[in-house]
Amino acid sequence: MRETWTTEEFGSCHTGAVGVVLDDGTVPRPVYFDASSSGGGQAVSQWTVYDGRPRQGPRAAALRAVCSCGWNGPEQRLDWEEIGDQDLQMVGAGAADTGTRDWDVHTVEVERSAVPLPEAVTILLEQVEVEVEKLAKSSPLAAIRAARRLEVLAAQTAYWPARDARRDADLGQAAAALGLDESGARTLLTRFGRWSPYS
């Protein structure tokens, strides 16, 4: 368990978090906290538990942004001589915030590396978003109907492209073009192409 972030477009394929690096360069295991004397508990990998205190995790040497795609941001070293007995959550907040910004830059790079959309399509999508948001203020039900029409339109217009993409590109190529991992690309193409995920 730890705080994570995603973007609307890339979802769980690019889940970001603040990661911990130890003095020896390794990544620590999650810290297990017992819930009660009767058993049970929770594994936690939130960076704030790695302060080296008893019943906490080992002491973090650095924090960095990490992403579920395997990307790691630059390390933000922690000066424990300066930190002393202070609360890691307070004194490490700056390093954690830097990691968050590094992950934001990473997702922008992922978006740039994905297959580009024509400007006309981008403008149309932005206009539709603005109009539906305006509609939601005056008629929420009409906005819901518009969103439903967009779902139907997406399903109709993506059917053949999904099937063509499956035929013409391998899964790795599709994932790179869509800014997803292979599992995410398979799921998306399967949904739009309306075939069994087991085929």
Side-chain angles (χ1 to χ4, degrees):
M1 178 179 135
R2 67 176 164 184
E3 180 183 9
T4 59
W5 332 289
T6 59
T7 67
E8 290 293 325
E9 182 174 359
F10 304 123
S12 63
C13 293
H14 290 280
T15 301
V18 175
V20 172
V21 180
L22 301 179
D23 267 329
D24 63 2
T26 62
V27 174
R29 294 175 181 233
V31 179
Y32 187 78
F33 292 98
D34 287 327
S36 68
S37 60
S38 62
Q42 193 165 43
V44 177
S45 53
Q46 178 71 8
W47 64 271
T48 54
V49 304
Y50 295 97
D51 61 8
R53 294 180 183 176
R55 294 187 294 280
Q56 294 281 92
R59 193 164 76 174
L63 303 179
R64 66 181 176 189
V66 297
C67 185
S68 60
C69 72
W71 171 89
N72 293 314
E75 293 181 7
Q76 308 297 317
R77 302 299 294 180
L78 299 171
D79 184 347
W80 283 97
E81 287 189 12
E82 183 179 324
I83 293 170
D85 291 332
Q86 298 178 76
D87 182 34
L88 179 57
Q89 184 166 4
M90 298 296 291
V91 296
D97 288 344
T98 298
T100 304
R101 290 191 296 274
D102 290 341
W103 180 82
D104 288 338
V105 170
H106 164 63
T107 59
V108 168
E109 291 169 354
V110 169
E111 186 172 0
R112 284 187 188 142
S113 70
V115 64
L117 294 178
E119 185 178 1
V121 172
T122 299
I123 290 170
L124 278 173
L125 291 172
E126 289 171 352
Q127 288 175 335
V128 168
E129 182 178 6
V130 168
E131 292 302 320
V132 172
E133 286 177 351
K134 285 197 302 193
L135 184 59
K137 293 176 182 173
S138 61
S139 177
L141 289 175
I144 294 293
R145 183 170 183 218
R148 176 65 183 136
R149 291 287 301 272
L150 289 171
E151 282 184 334
V152 171
L153 179 64
Q156 289 173 340
T157 58
Y159 177 77
W160 286 113
R163 290 183 167 260
D164 291 345
R166 185 181 191 198
R167 182 191 67 234
D168 298 340
D170 67 37
L171 201 52
Q173 292 169 325
L178 297 170
L180 306 174
D181 59 22
E182 290 191 6
S183 175
R186 181 186 297 107
T187 299
L188 184 65
L189 294 175
T190 297
R191 179 164 57 89
F192 280 142
R194 291 180 235 151
W195 59 71
S196 167
Y198 306 106
S199 62

